[in-house]
Amino acid sequence: MALGCSSWTGSREIILYGERCCSYESGYLLTPTQVDKTKRLVPSMEAENSNVLRAEEIKVQANDAFKARKYALAIDLYTRAIELNNDNAVYWANRAFAHTKLEEYGSAIQDASKAIEIDPKYSKGYYRRGAAYLAMGKFKEALKDFQQVKKICPNDPDASKKLKECEKAVMKLKFEEAISIPESQRISVADSIDFRSIEVEPQYSGARIEGDVVTLDFVKKMMDDFKNQKCLHRR
C-alpha cells in the first residue's frame, strides 16, 4: 500500500513505493537517499521563506519610521530585515538613505555599495551612494554614480539634475587645479615688492626709515603724523 510523504515544492506530491519514490508531475524515480535529502530540504525551505516574509514585514515598519523622520529607528529596523534576508538590495539602499539623513555618509556609502554588489542594475544603489559622495564634496566619485543612474534610468529628472550639479562641480575643480600654484612656488605679495626701488618725493615731510631698521624715532614720528592726520609714504 502506498504511503504519503512530505509535499514537494509547490503542489507536487511524492508517493513512496517501498524503496523508490515517484513524482506525479514528472514520473521521475528517486532513490532512498534522494528522498531523505528531500525530506530535510523542505523544512529548510520553509524556514527560509518564513525569514523572507518576516523581513518584508520589518521593512514596512522601517519605512513607516523613516516617513516619521525617526531615522535611527529606521536604521535599526532595516538592520533586522537585513539579518533575516541580506540578499535584498532594497534593504541596503534604504538603510543607506537613512544614514544619509543622519549625515552618516561613510555608512551610507558602505550600504549603497553593498546594494550595488547584490544588484548591479539597481539604480537606487548608485543614486544613494552618489548622494552621499555629493554631500561629502567628493564630486568626481558622485559624478560616476549619477552617470550610472542616468545610464540605467535615462528619463529620471532628479538624476539628471544631480548629474548636472556634479558636472559643474567637477569642472570647477579642474579649473582650480589648472590655475593653482604649488605651495613651494608661492611667493607672498610683501616679498615680491622691492621697497628700495620706491622713490620718496622731496616734498614729503613725514616719518622716514633710514636704512633697513625701524627705529624708535621713526615710530614716534609716525605716531605724531597719524595724530595730525598725515599720511605715511607708501615706501
Side-chain angles (χ1 to χ4, degrees), residues 16-21 30-33 35:
L16 294 176
Y17 294 97
E19 295 183 353
R20 296 190 303 171
C21 183
L30 302 179
T31 65
T33 301
V35 171

Side-chain angles (χ1 to χ4, degrees), residues 86-97:
N86 64 358
D87 290 330
N88 191 312
V90 174
Y91 301 165
W92 291 95
N94 285 3
R95 193 172 74 171
F97 195 15

Side-chain angles (χ1 to χ4, degrees), residues 49-63 66 74-99 107-108 110-112 114-116 118 122 124-125 128:
N49 290 336
S50 176
N51 286 343
V52 170
L53 293 174
R54 180 58 182 153
E56 276 296 301
E57 293 174 357
I58 295 173
K59 184 203 76 172
V60 172
Q61 297 174 19
N63 289 348
F66 186 93
I75 289 171
D76 289 340
L77 290 169
Y78 286 131
T79 300
R80 288 173 56 189
I82 288 170
E83 289 171 351
L84 291 169
N85 181 15
N86 64 358
D87 290 330
N88 191 312
V90 174
Y91 301 165
W92 291 95
N94 285 3
R95 193 172 74 171
F97 195 15
H99 278 303
S107 297
Q110 289 180 350
D111 280 357
K114 181 63 177 180
I116 294 168
I118 294 170
Y122 185 48
K124 281 192 177 179
R128 301 301 182 212

Side-chain angles (χ1 to χ4, degrees), residues 112-128:
S113 297
K114 181 63 177 180
I116 294 168
E117 179 186 328
I118 294 170
D119 186 357
K121 294 183 179 180
Y122 185 48
S123 62
K124 281 192 177 179
Y126 297 99
Y127 188 95
R128 301 301 182 212

Side-chain angles (χ1 to χ4, degrees), residues 22-229:
C22 173
S23 165
Y24 279 143
E25 182 177 324
S26 65
Y28 179 71
L29 298 179
L30 302 179
T31 65
T33 301
Q34 290 172 324
V35 171
D36 185 57
K37 287 182 179 180
T38 301
K39 288 180 179 180
R40 293 198 302 268
L41 178 63
V42 170
S44 175
M45 292 173 63
E46 290 177 349
E48 183 178 343
N49 290 336
S50 176
N51 286 343
V52 170
L53 293 174
R54 180 58 182 153
E56 276 296 301
E57 293 174 357
I58 295 173
K59 184 203 76 172
V60 172
Q61 297 174 19
N63 289 348
D64 291 339
F66 186 93
K67 292 174 184 176
R69 299 184 179 182
K70 298 178 181 179
Y71 303 122
L73 175 59
I75 289 171
D76 289 340
L77 290 169
Y78 286 131
T79 300
R80 288 173 56 189
I82 288 170
E83 289 171 351
L84 291 169
N85 181 15
N86 64 358
D87 290 330
N88 191 312
V90 174
Y91 301 165
W92 291 95
N94 285 3
R95 193 172 74 171
F97 195 15
H99 278 303
T100 300
K101 289 293 186 179
L102 294 178
E103 299 183 2
E104 298 169 351
Y105 302 122
S107 297
I109 290 169
Q110 289 180 350
D111 280 357
S113 297
K114 181 63 177 180
I116 294 168
E117 179 186 328
I118 294 170
D119 186 357
K121 294 183 179 180
Y122 185 48
S123 62
K124 281 192 177 179
Y126 297 99
Y127 188 95
R128 301 301 182 212
R129 189 172 68 180
Y133 277 136
L134 187 61
M136 295 177 69
K138 295 186 175 183
F139 303 115
K140 293 180 180 179
E141 291 85 348
L143 178 61
K144 293 178 182 178
D145 280 335
F146 286 121
Q147 285 174 336
Q148 191 65 26
V149 175
K150 187 68 174 176
K151 183 178 179 181
I152 298 172
C153 303
N155 298 321
D156 188 330
D158 194 47
S160 299
K161 181 180 177 181
K162 287 287 194 296
L163 180 59
K164 289 180 180 179
E165 185 179 344
C166 288
E167 287 173 343
K168 289 180 180 179
V170 170
M171 286 180 65
K172 182 180 178 182
L173 283 176
K174 289 182 178 180
F175 176 75
E176 290 175 350
E177 290 172 358
I179 65 173
S180 65
I181 301 174
E183 187 70 30
S184 59
Q185 299 178 15
R186 293 180 183 176
I187 302 174
S188 68
V189 175
D191 293 338
S192 65
I193 298 174
D194 182 9
F195 70 91
R196 297 180 186 84
S197 64
I198 301 175
E199 184 179 353
V200 179
E201 295 79 3
Q203 64 270 24
Y204 176 72
S205 60
R208 293 171 179 262
I209 295 179
E210 300 298 335
D212 297 334
V213 181
V214 177
T215 63
L216 181 59
D217 290 338
F218 168 78
V219 174
K220 290 180 178 179
K221 175 63 175 171
M222 180 180 65
M223 293 177 66
D224 289 338
D225 288 346
F226 286 157
K227 288 179 182 179
N228 296 323
Q229 297 184 352

